[in-house]
């Protein structure tokens, strides 16, 4: 499946002399070609260590300069390829802390399902962890922003009286994320049903809400 089939939207700076696909800005077509060219190499079994900017450029049918205009190196490019292949990060409803937490865990559940069903994603994740530079780039670009978003949701919950004020929100975030990560990664044979995010959130909130707060019905 191509990145275009996944509904990926990409943007970038205009590049003189590069031919656009019909109906798309010139830079978008070039960037999509680069991402899809990199994914094709991965699908063909080429390891991350063997993929070079030159090889990506040949596969994508672009010049190396077109790649370097958008990414400082292949580590940043690999991160964007992986993020394009993963389910998109969600927009939070903002109706309550509980609802936002359910949406965040649902996104994690979907990434877990995608990693299970895609040999390419599973393989790339495994290879990334053996490359400190690539893993650091992915952590800083994808994992850390997601963690900050969840921590902010919990802080707002404390301010709104939905979460006990004496709790360490960094620790509470780990407590919420942990069960889903165990199911998605450490127990690949475990079920990841649709109702799991709400069950995790409601189970934990039963003990983490202020004593005076009435339990919210799911």
């Amino acid at each position: 499946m191509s990145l275009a089939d996944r509904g990926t939207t990409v943007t970038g700076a205009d590049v003189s002399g590069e031919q656009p696909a019909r109906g798309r800005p010139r830079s978008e077509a070039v960037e999509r070609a680069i991402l899809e060219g990199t994914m094709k190499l991965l699908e063909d079994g080429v390891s991350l260590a063997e993929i070079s900017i030159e090889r990506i450029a040949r596969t994508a049918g672009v010049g190396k300069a077109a790649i370097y205009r958008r990414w400082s190196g292949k580590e940043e490019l690999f991160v964007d390829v992986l993020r394009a292949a993963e389910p998109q990060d969600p927009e939070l409803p903002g109706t309550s802390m509980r609802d936002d937490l359910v949406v965040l865990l649902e996104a994690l559940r979907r990434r877990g399902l995608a990693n299970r069903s895609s040999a390419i994603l599973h393989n790339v994740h495994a290879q990334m962890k053996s490359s400190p530079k690539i893993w650091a780039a992915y952590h800083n670009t994808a994992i850390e922003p997601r963690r900050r978003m969840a921590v902010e949701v919990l802080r707002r919950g404390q301010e709104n009286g939905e979460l006990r004020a004496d709790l360490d929100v960094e620790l509470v975030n780990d407590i919420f994320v942990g069960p889903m990560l165990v199911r998605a990664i450490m127990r690949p044979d475990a079920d990841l049903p649709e109702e799991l995010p709400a069950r995790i959130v409601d189970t934990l909130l039963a003990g983490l809400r202020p004593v005076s707060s009435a339990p919210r019905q799911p």
Side-chain angles (χ1 to χ4, degrees):
M1 180 183 293
S2 70
L3 295 178
D5 293 333
R6 296 183 178 95
T8 304
T9 299
V10 291
T11 59
D14 191 16
V15 180
S16 178
E18 293 165 343
Q19 294 301 315
R22 179 177 298 178
R24 291 178 183 160
R26 180 179 303 159
S27 58
E28 181 181 340
V30 172
E31 188 165 340
R32 190 181 299 278
I34 295 168
L35 294 173
E36 291 189 338
T38 307
M39 180 59 74
K40 182 180 186 304
L41 290 171
L42 294 170
E43 290 173 344
D44 289 344
V46 183
S47 69
L48 292 177
E50 295 173 324
I51 297 179
S52 65
I53 293 295
E54 291 82 1
R55 194 166 185 178
I56 295 170
R58 288 198 304 270
T59 303
V62 302
K64 289 191 296 181
I67 297 176
Y68 283 117
R69 285 189 184 98
R70 294 162 172 81
W71 295 276
S72 62
K74 68 178 186 179
E75 290 81 15
E76 289 185 359
L77 172 55
F78 289 155
V79 169
D80 278 358
V81 169
L82 181 57
R83 295 195 68 186
E86 291 178 331
Q88 292 185 352
D89 290 337
E91 292 188 11
L92 301 182
T95 51
S96 68
M97 180 189 69
R98 184 262 181 193
D99 293 345
D100 285 350
L101 290 173
V102 170
V103 169
L104 290 172
L105 286 191
E106 170 61 13
L108 181 54
R109 185 185 78 89
R110 288 180 179 274
R111 288 195 295 273
L113 289 172
N115 195 54
R116 288 183 181 184
S117 62
S118 170
I120 297 299
L121 277 178
H122 183 80
N123 184 35
V124 171
H125 272 292
Q127 291 188 62
M128 283 175 58
K129 291 178 182 178
S130 65
S131 172
K133 288 183 67 176
I134 298 176
W135 180 249
Y138 181 71
H139 183 276
N140 293 335
T141 305
I143 296 177
E144 182 60 19
R146 292 166 183 161
R147 187 197 66 80
R148 289 198 303 267
M149 180 184 296
V151 168
E152 180 58 28
V153 167
L154 293 168
R155 285 202 177 100
R156 289 200 304 268
Q158 284 185 323
E159 294 171 359
N160 298 334
E162 299 174 87
L163 186 69
R164 280 169 38 199
D166 62 320
L167 296 173
D168 179 347
V169 290
E170 299 275 355
L171 177 59
V172 172
N173 178 58
D174 292 342
I175 292 172
F176 275 102
V177 173
M180 188 65 77
L181 286 178
V182 168
R183 285 283 188 104
I185 298 175
M186 299 181 67
R187 294 180 56 198
D189 59 332
D191 290 338
L192 290 172
E194 291 184 7
E195 69 273 12
L196 183 59
R199 286 172 54 195
I200 292 174
V201 171
D202 291 333
T203 298
L204 293 174
L205 284 183
L208 298 177
R209 284 193 180 94
V211 176
S212 59
S213 295
R216 175 174 180 149
Q217 295 299 319

